[in-house]
Amino acid sequence: LRTNIVPNDKQEDSLKQFVLDCDDKLKIINAKISEQEAQLRILNDEKAAILESVAPFRRALSPFRQLPEDIVREIFVACLETRRNPTMANTEAPVLLTQISSATRRIALSTPALW
């Protein structure tokens, strides 16, 4: 196998059989891999469905939602730019704070220090 000598007929038959056996084993392995990939896709779909269904409950249990309004107001005021006057861009406080949720919108709009 490690020379340039041409194999005789018996050796060639033996080599061909070995290659065929290896090809058969590879087909079996590839089939198992495909089966496991299909199972993995199913598991990933199940995982995504569970994560999606539990997401609203996780949001409801968020520690931020448990904060008193006066603390949230102080956090919002601390979000303001101090080096310049706040802009009315929707990518910066205070306008950005009105886009988080209806509760934060209500708090932000009723906080005079933001405006």
Side-chain angles (χ1 to χ4, degrees), residues 5-24:
I5 298 173
V6 177
N8 61 34
D9 291 341
K10 184 178 178 183
Q11 291 171 330
E12 187 175 333
D13 290 342
S14 178
L15 293 174
K16 284 181 183 178
Q17 187 58 49
F18 177 76
V19 169
L20 288 174
D21 290 345
C22 288
D23 287 344
D24 290 341

Side-chain angles (χ1 to χ4, degrees), residues 22-52:
C22 288
D23 287 344
D24 290 341
K25 288 178 184 178
L26 287 173
K27 285 178 188 175
I28 292 169
I29 290 171
N30 284 331
K32 287 180 180 180
I33 289 171
S34 294
E35 181 181 312
Q36 288 181 352
E37 286 174 344
Q39 289 173 347
L40 185 59
R41 279 191 296 275
I42 291 169
L43 289 173
N44 278 329
D45 291 346
E46 288 178 21
K47 175 185 172 183
I50 291 170
L51 288 173
E52 186 177 330

Side-chain angles (χ1 to χ4, degrees), residues 74-89 91-97 113-115:
E74 290 298 322
I75 292 171
F76 283 4
V77 170
C79 290
L80 292 175
E81 178 63 52
T82 57
R83 294 172 284 166
R84 59 177 168 75
N85 287 333
T87 65
M88 295 306 285
T91 57
E92 296 181 20
V95 176
L96 179 64
L97 301 171
L114 293 176
W115 310 99

